[in-house]
Structures are given as C-alpha cells and as structure tokens.
C-alpha cells in the first residue's frame, strides 16, 4: 500500500480496549484488508478526528505486522479535545481518517541503549525495545508512572524482558533518580526519552555532560522557552510562485501563507508534531519548534512554519 506521509486515507477501528487507568489502545485496519504502509520504531500516526481536530499518536504495535496499526491514547482532563474525542466518541467498526505514518523520532545505531519513559511516553519506545532486543545489543528501560495501574504495557514488559526493565511507580518509589541514572556519560550509549515535559527537561539537564548526539527525545508539548525571542516582521518568498509576503510581528508564517491561499498541512500549531515542516531554500530560520534536533536546526534547510520565524530579512520557502 503506497501512501505518501501527508496523504489522508480511511481505516476502520477494529478494536478499542482499555489497557491501563485512563489509557485505551486502538487497533486500526484497512477496510478491504490491504497491507498498511510500512513504518519504523518511533513513528507516529495522525488521527484526523474532525475538521480542525487532528492529533498525533505514537505507533506502539509491531512494524512487521502490516495488517494493523496500533496507538494508545491517554485521557487528558485538561487536554485540547483529542483524547476526549478518542475515549468518548470513537467506537469499534467506525471509520477513522488518518495520515502517515511519519517519523521524527527514529532509532539510531548505538552500542548500548538507555530508554527512559514517563507515562504514555512508553508508546514510541515499545517497538524500539523489540528491535534492540532482537539485535542482541545491551539495553535498559526505566519506566516511570503515577501508579502501577496507570502504566500501560507494564505487565507485558516485565514478563517479556526480565532483567532489562525497571518499573518505577511514583506513589511507591517517588520520582526517577535521574542524577544517579545519568551521572556518568558513557561513550556509545544512546538515550531515548519520551514523556511529560517536566521529565524531558530534567533528563536534558542531567545530560549536559554527555555527547551532543547521545540524547534523543520526543515531546508531546513545546519545550520551555521554545517560542521565546524577538518577534519582528520579515518577508517570505514562496518559490513556486515568486510571491513575496510580509509576516508581521504578531502572526505566524503559517497564518500568512494560508491567508494568501496556499494550502499547507498543519495540526498542532505549537511546533511539536512536524506536520507543517517546510523546506527552506534561502535565508536563516529562527527555529522555535520542539521537533528538529539542534544539528538539524543548525543546517537550516527545513523549518516548522507554525511557530518558527526568521533571523534574516527574507526567507525563501519551497511553497
């Protein structure tokens, strides 16, 4: 099934099951039983829930099983409506519009792996564990959550990977001991972390002595201070038409180009999902996203136009 990452298509919700307190797993299948698009550990799927309500959820199934795609969704009382829609309105047998899979959190080659997951942040890490365990490489998972009953896939992980998994319920053991876990930088070790922003920020703080490419994170919300900085007007040139538009201080590039009639796929509007990633042909972006790595931002050949701005008077974009 050849589908481009931004193409929208329909799947059927085959199964919806509660797998932990406040967490449901969705199993999606093609209505005609066709094989689904290939994907790699770390990928996510866009669920187009309604017009104007699209959310990204990490794939947590088996990449080798092309018959289904699986995501797990946490109920968020103070969320923006995606989890409420999934938990309260989606029913088995219903058609679900999706886009993807797409991957901004790929598994890289390393001698050893340390996985740190917080709550629902376990989902993108699950297929990574299968891949690394099958390779025979050394690895460890430290998995924290509020309570044992809230930690999705906990029992499966303990049974499947004895000796490799440390379960850390906060109500029993307190917060993860990150200072001890990350005290000594290890050459050749890749750290993969996903979870609440407080966990990611703390892990980043404790990894300052590690090599620049050791830590890999995926965020569900913008990192602290991501959108800080001056907000000055600048111009964008749309290379495909030659149109030049002014982006005022109080508006985003995305707003301005959409107002000009250019169709750009977008979703989160906060620089976390990667949907609006746009190629930069000239100029220097002022990156304010939480998706691109520091190295990718330094290269400057792509940007998230929902939040990022410009360090140069004009940007030339491949739009």
């Amino acid at each position: 099934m050849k589908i481009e990452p931004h193409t929208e298509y329909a799947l059927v919700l085959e199964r919806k099951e509660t797998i932990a307190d406040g967490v449901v797993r969705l199993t999606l299948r093609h209505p005609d039983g066709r094989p689904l698009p290939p994907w790699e550990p770390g990928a996510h799927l866009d669920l187009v829930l309604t017009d104007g309500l699209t959310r990204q959820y990490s794939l947590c199934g088996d990449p080798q099983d092309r018959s289904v795609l699986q995501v797990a969704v946490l109920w968020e009382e103070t969320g923006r409506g995606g989890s409420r829609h999934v938990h309260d309105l989606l029913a088995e047998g219903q058609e679900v519009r999706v886009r993807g899979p797409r991957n901004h959190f790929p598994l890289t080659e390393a001698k050893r792996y340390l996985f740190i997951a917080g709550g629902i942040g376990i989902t993108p890490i699950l297929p990574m564990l299968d891949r690394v365990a099958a390779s025979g490489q050394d690895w460890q998972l430290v998995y924290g959550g509020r309570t044992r009953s809230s930690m999705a896939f906990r029992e499966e992980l303990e049974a499947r990977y004895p000796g490799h998994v440390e379960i850390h319920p906060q109500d029993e053991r307190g917060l993860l001991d990150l200072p001890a876990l990350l005290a000594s930088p290890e050459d050749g070790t890749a750290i993969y972390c996903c979870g609440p922003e407080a966990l990611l920020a703390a892990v980043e703080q404790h990894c300052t002595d590690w090599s620049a490419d050791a830590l890999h994170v995926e965020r569900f919300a913008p990192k602290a201070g991501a959108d800080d900085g001056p907000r000055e007007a600048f111009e964008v040139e749309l290379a495909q038409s030659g149109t030049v538009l002014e982006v005022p201080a109080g508006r985003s590039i995305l707003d301005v180009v959409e107002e000009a009639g250019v169709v750009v796929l977008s979703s989160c509007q906060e620089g976390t999902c990667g949907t609006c990633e746009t190629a930069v042909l000239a100029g220097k972006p002022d990156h304010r996203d939480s998706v691109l790595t520091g190295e990718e931002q330094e290269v400057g050949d792509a940007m998230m136009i929902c939040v990022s701005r410009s360090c140069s008077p004009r940007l030339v974009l491949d739009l």
Side-chain angles (χ1 to χ4, degrees):
M1 184 179 184
K2 178 62 174 177
I3 292 178
E4 296 301 321
H6 293 301
T7 300
E8 187 174 312
Y9 57 102
L11 299 180
V12 172
L13 179 55
E14 179 181 79
R15 187 163 66 255
K16 177 181 177 181
E17 55 191 321
T18 299
I19 59 172
D21 291 348
V23 181
V24 295
R25 177 168 54 190
L26 309 181
T27 299
L28 301 158
R29 187 181 297 274
H30 192 278
D32 298 330
R34 300 177 192 172
L36 296 176
W39 58 280
E40 291 291 316
H44 69 261
L45 192 69
D46 293 1
L47 299 191
V48 185
L49 301 170
T50 65
D51 290 341
L53 184 61
T54 299
R55 294 292 180 265
Q56 293 73 38
Y57 299 105
S58 299
L59 289 166
C60 58
D62 178 4
Q64 302 305 312
D65 183 358
R66 299 281 298 279
S67 66
V68 297
L69 293 173
Q70 292 183 319
V71 299
V73 181
L74 171 68
W75 166 266
E76 296 184 88
E77 182 67 36
T78 59
R80 297 177 297 147
S83 69
R84 185 182 300 274
H85 186 103
V86 168
H87 279 252
D88 293 349
L89 300 179
L90 288 189
E92 292 181 356
Q94 184 176 337
E95 180 183 280
V96 180
R97 305 294 299 180
V98 304
R99 291 196 297 258
R102 290 181 289 120
N103 200 341
H104 292 284
F105 192 44
L107 184 65
T108 61
E109 290 292 330
K111 295 180 181 178
R112 179 181 180 272
Y113 295 87
L114 172 60
F115 299 98
I116 304 173
I120 199 62
I122 190 63
T123 51
I125 289 175
L126 285 172
M128 294 184 181
L129 302 183
D130 287 342
R131 179 68 58 84
V132 172
S135 73
Q137 290 167 290
D138 184 26
W139 65 275
Q140 177 189 8
L141 167 66
V142 180
Y143 178 17
R146 291 180 292 103
T147 63
R148 287 183 182 272
S149 61
S150 71
M151 299 172 70
F153 307 102
R154 172 184 57 82
E155 293 180 351
E156 173 186 330
L157 288 166
E158 289 180 308
R160 191 167 184 175
Y161 304 117
H164 287 275
V165 176
E166 179 183 339
I167 300 298
H168 206 291
Q170 185 176 340
D171 64 337
E172 299 175 22
R173 304 182 59 183
L175 296 174
L176 296 179
D177 189 1
L178 296 179
L181 190 63
L182 301 169
S184 301
E186 299 177 8
D187 290 340
T189 295
I191 303 168
Y192 277 80
C193 182
C194 186
E197 178 57 27
L199 171 65
L200 301 184
V203 169
E204 288 176 330
Q205 179 183 354
H206 289 292
C207 282
T208 53
D209 292 333
W210 288 67
S211 63
D213 59 351
L215 178 60
H216 308 262
V217 302
E218 182 168 60
R219 285 182 150 86
F220 299 139
K223 59 185 176 183
D227 197 26
D228 292 349
R231 304 186 70 85
E232 299 177 354
F234 58 93
E235 293 180 338
V236 291
E237 179 181 337
L238 310 184
Q240 296 176 22
S241 65
T243 303
V244 176
L245 304 170
E246 181 177 347
V247 181
R251 301 188 68 194
S252 70
I253 300 174
L254 179 64
D255 287 341
V256 171
V257 299
E258 285 187 328
E259 187 178 80
V262 179
V263 177
V264 180
L265 286 178
S266 64
S267 174
C268 71
Q269 310 289 317
E270 57 185 17
T272 59
C273 74
T275 305
C276 69
E277 183 173 357
T278 301
V280 179
L281 304 180
K284 182 179 180 181
D286 176 6
H287 294 288
R288 304 190 182 193
D289 66 276
S290 302
V291 178
L292 298 174
T293 66
E295 291 79 5
E296 290 170 334
Q297 291 184 348
E298 186 67 27
V299 171
D301 61 357
M303 66 187 299
M304 307 304 157
I305 63 173
C306 65
V307 291
S308 295
R309 303 188 66 78
S310 181
C311 296
S312 52
R314 178 180 291 190
L315 289 173
V316 180
L317 303 179
D318 188 15
L319 290 174

